Amino acid sequence: MSFSFSKSQAYFEAAQKQIPGGVNSPVRAFKAVGGTPIFVKRAQGAYLFDEDGNRYIELINSWGPMILGHAHPAVTEAVSRAVLDSPSFGAPTVREIEMAALICKMVPSIEKVRMVNSGTEATMSAVRLARGYTGRDKFIKIEGCYHGHGDSFLIAAGSGAITFGKPNSPGVTEGTAKDTLLAPYNYLEAIENLVNANPNQIAALIIEPVAGNMGCILPKKGYLEGLRKICTEKGIVLIFDEVMTGFRLAKGGAQEVFGITPDLTTLGKIIGGGLPVGAYGGKKEIMDYVSPQGSVYQAGTLSGNPIAMAAGLALLSLLDANPEVYHTLNTKVTELTAEMQQIDRSLGLTYTYNQIGSMMNPFFTTAPVEDFESAKKCDTALFGKYFHAMLQRGVYLAPSQFESWFFSAALSDADYEHILKAHKAAMMEIHTA
Ligand code: KE4
């Protein structure tokens, strides 16, 4: 029996009348996979229910936050209690002290931290801080990494490996783009070229230590170490954008897994337990430049919001107290990845899978995927067919080939079995001429 999406279709029609594209964030509109986005009614644990009453095992989990499953009782209880004391004060609260202390404990490279309201705010602020701290204007961004929609990040590679970027969105000015330098992921020589071509002009290098926004791409052996060495030698602030990897790959994120200490870290997603929260933090020496202690201005009416802090504290406290959750989840996803590849081989297919911890996704290419150029070689149309074949079988994936899947500890063995069955049927369906 195939799913009916009639209510979602009607809601999508209605939504487009007063919301640009019918959504409040572009990727949700299913443009990368075609078809109509499903309108969600509710979610519980590992399952998401749409307005048509269809139930899905879901592997988006709000793009990361729901690592322990949707509507976790500890989080909903904390939010329900906190909201009774009023949702917001715009004044300091004890919860913000508790949150800062917990983040600094879980991510030891963070000596001081500032709460903001999204990953975008965190990355924008971290780059501004690095510029204020170093007195330099330029920064290096890695092609294919996504750091939110701040102007200076919406930049495409310019011609040649050592020229500055060009805007990749209307509304971003050439003036902004000239200070953003780009280099491919996993290519240290390009960084060395940029640094040599721009002596004493580069404030920061920002990177997703494990890329999730090209699909999941791992750093090659020595790559992160190389970045750390170059940044230390040249006085460049190394920023790990752990909005996605933070509190997901391990309690201490990718920097714990790879043993690399960045100067600043940006956080989001899991830190808010599903509420709008971001944060940036790092060395005290750098963070003390942030207003009002220092002169680098950054502010936010709802930063450190008491409800968001209650949700984030509830989730992070659970993860801090139960680190074995990571081992169990990471083991499950490692096993799932191997079993999906086994199924592919049984069908004569040899697609590429990248996986680390609970970040994973198949790439519809048989070549290695190590940077944005190789990711772009995927058959995105075939991925679109796969996406819908899985959706019809009750598995809701991220609606783009260029997204890592997000697993939760709420998935049961039966759920993993269901994913495998759906995967086999979907692969057979989309490869049947
Ligand atoms: P937000 O501003 O969306 O909270 O965070 C921006 C951001 C920053 N850094 C990284 C590594 C990120 O992955 C993100 C946001 N991730 C996307 C999913 N790939 C959010 C989904 C969306 O844009 O709707």
Side-chain angles (χ1 to χ4, degrees), residues 322-343:
N322 303 284
E324 69 282 357
V325 158
Y326 291 104
H327 175 72
T328 308
L329 180 58
N330 296 350
T331 304
K332 291 269 188 194
V333 177
T334 304
E335 288 165 359
L336 177 81
T337 305
E339 286 161 328
M340 288 172 74
Q341 289 177 290
Q342 182 58 40
I343 287 169

Side-chain angles (χ1 to χ4, degrees), residues 36-76:
T36 302
I38 60 168
F39 275 64
V40 176
K41 190 176 189 74
R42 66 183 183 90
Q44 182 70 40
Y47 311 115
L48 182 136
F49 303 84
D50 70 13
E51 289 289 348
D52 288 282
N54 302 313
R55 187 195 88 157
Y56 306 91
I57 291 171
E58 84 116 337
L59 302 182
I60 302 181
N61 282 299
S62 181
W63 303 92
M66 307 304 174
I67 190 169
L68 296 184
H70 280 283
H72 189 287
V75 175
T76 48

Side-chain angles (χ1 to χ4, degrees), residues 166-185:
K166 60 184 188 335
N168 73 355
S169 164
V172 176
T173 66
E174 296 291 343
T176 300
K178 72 174 177 40
D179 288 329
T180 302
L181 305 173
L182 284 114
Y185 196 79

Side-chain angles (χ1 to χ4, degrees), residues 49-281:
F49 303 84
D50 70 13
E51 289 289 348
D52 288 282
N54 302 313
R55 187 195 88 157
Y56 306 91
I57 291 171
E58 84 116 337
L59 302 182
I60 302 181
N61 282 299
S62 181
W63 303 92
M66 307 304 174
I67 190 169
L68 296 184
H70 280 283
H72 189 287
V75 175
T76 48
E77 169 59 25
V79 169
S80 313
R81 263 203 320 274
V83 74
L84 297 175
D85 294 335
S86 178
S88 178
F89 314 117
T93 62
V94 171
R95 279 199 192 94
E96 292 162 86
I97 304 171
E98 292 165 354
M99 185 62 141
L102 185 53
I103 291 166
C104 293
K105 176 189 172 205
M106 293 175 80
V107 190
S109 71
I110 298 179
E111 296 172 338
K112 280 196 172 182
V113 61
R114 169 60 63 84
M115 305 309 298
V116 293
N117 301 285
S118 68
T120 294
E121 266 195 83
T123 55
M124 278 168 52
S125 308
V127 168
R128 180 186 308 139
L129 171 58
R131 285 170 161 158
Y133 173 70
T134 60
R136 301 174 183 176
D137 293 347
K138 292 184 167 71
F139 78 99
I140 297 174
K141 177 190 176 302
I142 305 300
E143 288 165 19
C145 287
Y146 177 69
H147 306 293
H149 65 88
D151 279 9
S152 51
F153 301 121
L154 299 181
I155 307 293
S159 56
I162 57 169
T163 54
F164 49 74
K166 60 184 188 335
N168 73 355
S169 164
V172 176
T173 66
E174 296 291 343
T176 300
K178 72 174 177 40
D179 288 329
T180 302
L181 305 173
L182 284 114
Y185 196 79
N186 272 324
Y187 183 26
L188 270 181
E189 196 184 329
I191 305 295
E192 285 153 3
N193 292 342
L194 287 176
V195 169
N196 295 334
N198 299 275
N200 301 315
Q201 298 168 56
I202 299 173
L205 184 153
I206 186 167
I207 186 168
E208 292 179 60
V210 170
N213 289 286
M214 298 185 248
C216 177
I217 299 184
L218 282 65
K220 282 183 178 171
K221 193 167 168 32
Y223 179 61
L224 297 178
E225 291 80 353
L227 295 179
R228 178 65 279 173
K229 184 168 178 294
I230 293 168
C231 287
T232 303
E233 285 168 358
K234 302 293 183 182
I236 294 169
V237 176
L238 178 59
I239 304 171
F240 272 11
D241 178 356
E242 296 223 42
V243 166
M244 193 183 284
T245 55
F247 313 114
R248 171 157 288 279
L249 289 182
K251 265 171 58 172
Q255 55 194 271
E256 176 186 311
V257 173
F258 291 96
I260 304 285
T261 302
D263 301 308
L264 294 177
T265 299
T266 54
L267 298 164
K269 296 180 192 285
I270 291 175
I271 194 174
L275 269 71
V277 178
Y280 65 102

Side-chain angles (χ1 to χ4, degrees), residues 239-399:
I239 304 171
F240 272 11
D241 178 356
E242 296 223 42
V243 166
M244 193 183 284
T245 55
F247 313 114
R248 171 157 288 279
L249 289 182
K251 265 171 58 172
Q255 55 194 271
E256 176 186 311
V257 173
F258 291 96
I260 304 285
T261 302
D263 301 308
L264 294 177
T265 299
T266 54
L267 298 164
K269 296 180 192 285
I270 291 175
I271 194 174
L275 269 71
V277 178
Y280 65 102
K283 285 181 177 161
K284 179 180 178 310
E285 177 198 341
I286 302 175
M287 290 303 293
D288 281 349
Y289 273 68
V290 178
S291 174
Q293 176 134 9
S295 52
V296 176
Y297 194 71
Q298 180 270 312
T301 303
L302 298 174
S303 296
N305 170 272
I307 316 303
M309 294 298 100
L313 275 168
L315 184 54
L316 292 189
S317 303
L318 278 173
L319 294 170
D320 183 43
N322 303 284
E324 69 282 357
V325 158
Y326 291 104
H327 175 72
T328 308
L329 180 58
N330 296 350
T331 304
K332 291 269 188 194
V333 177
T334 304
E335 288 165 359
L336 177 81
T337 305
E339 286 161 328
M340 288 172 74
Q341 289 177 290
Q342 182 58 40
I343 287 169
D344 290 3
R345 280 194 292 276
S346 74
L347 300 173
L349 303 169
T350 56
Y351 291 120
T352 298
Y353 287 72
N354 286 348
Q355 178 256 331
I356 177 169
S358 66
M359 289 177 67
M360 178 283 270
N361 68 277
F363 289 95
F364 282 77
T365 176
T366 54
V369 178
E370 297 170 342
D371 59 14
F372 196 34
E373 282 315 306
S374 47
K376 284 193 287 189
K377 293 191 171 68
C378 287
D379 182 340
T380 52
L382 190 59
F383 174 81
K385 291 190 182 127
Y386 175 73
F387 172 86
H388 284 286
M390 292 291 272
L391 193 69
Q392 279 287 353
R393 292 171 174 83
V395 181
Y396 184 29
L397 307 174

Side-chain angles (χ1 to χ4, degrees), residues 400-416:
S400 164
Q401 168 68 89
F402 305 116
E403 292 287 354
S404 175
W405 297 1
F406 298 96
F407 293 82
S408 86
L411 288 162
S412 67
D413 289 346
D415 295 328
Y416 281 101

